[in-house]
């Protein structure tokens, strides 16, 4: 117990909140104890900023940087300031996707505002301003991420799709549903956290990172202590330093109570 976190990095969905998007009182209290100890708490999420903000506003965060869009965007808040934006040309990826899977929903992030989408996504899956555009317009300029979604497909089908695509020059992560996030090459949550910690003078060895998804693999591997939530995919459990309970079982609260 001699080790003590110098920074706590938290995934959002499945770690901080469930589908209700509401931070439970006991979770907020646990994060307050970290803040009271003078240790920075930041989000490291696949969500775009507009969606991450709906959770940040429920928590006792001071002026801090948060990692969004799986590491492609870093935002300091409050007040709102975009610190990092990493982009790529989506056209080759979009063309390859449409050749393999002709009817997906596609979205690209408009940093700080919302998304441009090829068609409407299921209610509640995207936040912020949503603009329906043609595929040509959607893929016509550099972006931070491309989201591929098919409500009629399974998680397993999208894992197979990612393998078939043989994506080169980009990074990607598969969600719990038929959801594929595509980012600039080499960009992930660990990449974003490394930039934030570099500016703060904090070593990776002193970071406590907690998450529950495939897009948390690099983050948990990078951090000094990487903790997987109960019920996480096998790929994440394999790289985690420890496993706590699920969100429903107050796993995040238990892990933070260990140190604070």
């Amino acid at each position: 117990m001699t080790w003590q976190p110098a920074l706590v990095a938290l995934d959002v969905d499945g770690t901080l909140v469930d589908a209700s998007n509401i931070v439970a009182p006991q979770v907020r209290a646990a994060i307050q104890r970290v803040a009271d100890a003078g240790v920075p708490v930041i989000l490291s999420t696949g969500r775009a900023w507009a969606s991450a903000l709906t959770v940040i506003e429920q928590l006792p965060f001071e002026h801090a940087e948060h990692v969004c869009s799986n590491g492609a965007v870093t935002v300091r808040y409050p007040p709102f300031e975009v610190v990092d934006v990493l982009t790529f040309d989506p056209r080759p990826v979009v063309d390859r996707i449409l050749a393999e899977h002709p009817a997906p929903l596609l979205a690209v992030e408009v940093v700080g505002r919302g998304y441009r989408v090829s068609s409407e996504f299921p209610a509640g899956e995207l936040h912020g301003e949503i603009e329906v555009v043609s595929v040509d317009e959607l893929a016509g300029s550099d972006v931070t991420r491309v989201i591929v979604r098919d409500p009629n497909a399974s998680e397993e089908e999208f894992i197979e799709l990612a393998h078939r695509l043989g994506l080169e020059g980009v990074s990607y992560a598969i969600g719990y549903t038929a959801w594929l996030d595509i980012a600039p090459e080499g960009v992930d949550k660990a990449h974003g956290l490394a930039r934030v910690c570099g500016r703060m003078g904090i070593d990776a060895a002193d970071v406590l990172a907690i998450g529950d998804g495939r897009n948390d693999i690099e983050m948990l591997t990078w951090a000094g202590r990487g903790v997987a939530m109960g019920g996480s995919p096998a790929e994440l459990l394999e790289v985690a330093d420890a496993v706590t309970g699920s969100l429903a079982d107050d796993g995040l609260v238990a892990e933070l109570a260990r140190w604070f």
Side-chain angles (χ1 to χ4, degrees):
M1 296 292 288
T2 57
W3 183 82
Q4 188 73 17
L7 180 141
V8 175
L10 302 176
D11 169 52
V12 173
D13 294 289
T15 301
L16 266 174
V17 297
D18 58 19
S20 72
N21 202 51
I22 296 173
V23 178
Q26 66 271 25
V27 172
R28 191 186 191 285
I31 292 172
Q32 183 67 65
R33 287 193 293 273
V34 182
D36 290 346
V39 173
V41 182
I42 70 171
L43 300 190
S44 185
T45 177
R47 291 190 181 199
W49 169 250
S51 182
L53 182 59
T54 64
V55 173
I56 289 170
E57 289 176 329
Q58 301 178 57
L59 293 169
F61 289 143
E62 301 295 335
H63 184 65
E65 287 187 36
H66 298 283
V67 177
C68 302
S69 304
N70 285 322
V73 177
T74 305
V75 169
R76 189 177 290 118
Y77 180 83
F80 173 72
E81 176 190 356
V82 177
V83 181
D84 296 313
V85 178
L86 305 176
T87 63
F88 68 105
D89 177 6
R91 173 60 68 180
V93 169
V94 168
D95 289 346
R96 186 82 178 91
I97 290 165
L98 293 177
E100 283 287 340
H101 194 86
L105 304 178
L106 299 173
V108 296
E109 181 181 359
V110 180
V111 177
R113 288 174 46 202
Y115 295 90
R116 294 195 302 272
V117 300
S118 61
S119 297
E120 292 287 350
F121 274 56
E125 290 193 348
L126 299 178
H127 297 84
E129 299 176 16
I130 309 296
E131 180 185 8
V132 179
V133 300
S134 68
V135 171
D136 283 341
E137 186 176 352
L138 183 143
S141 58
D142 286 359
V143 299
T144 56
R145 71 198 297 199
V146 173
I147 297 171
V148 187
R149 176 78 167 100
D150 184 351
N152 298 313
S154 68
E155 177 186 351
E156 292 72 22
E157 287 173 314
F158 257 44
I159 292 173
E160 293 174 6
L161 172 63
H163 289 226
R164 291 201 313 273
L165 289 172
L167 297 173
E168 296 180 357
V170 295
S171 300
Y172 68 90
I174 300 163
Y176 280 111
T177 60
W179 179 295
L180 180 62
D181 252 322
I182 301 171
E185 184 173 19
V187 173
D188 51 45
K189 291 185 180 184
H191 189 273
L193 277 174
R195 296 196 308 274
V196 172
C197 289
R199 287 188 282 266
M200 297 177 71
I202 295 174
D203 291 336
D206 296 321
V207 173
L208 167 62
I210 308 173
D212 77 315
R214 294 184 181 88
N215 62 340
D216 294 313
I217 290 173
E218 294 84 2
M219 177 174 78
L220 266 59
T221 304
W222 173 85
R225 180 172 171 84
V227 178
M229 299 289 289
S232 297
E235 301 97 310
L236 188 67
L237 298 176
E238 289 171 2
V239 304
D241 296 306
V243 179
T244 188
S246 66
L247 177 61
D249 292 332
D250 285 335
L252 174 60
V253 174
E255 176 60 24
L256 294 180
R258 177 184 176 94
W259 312 103
F260 305 95

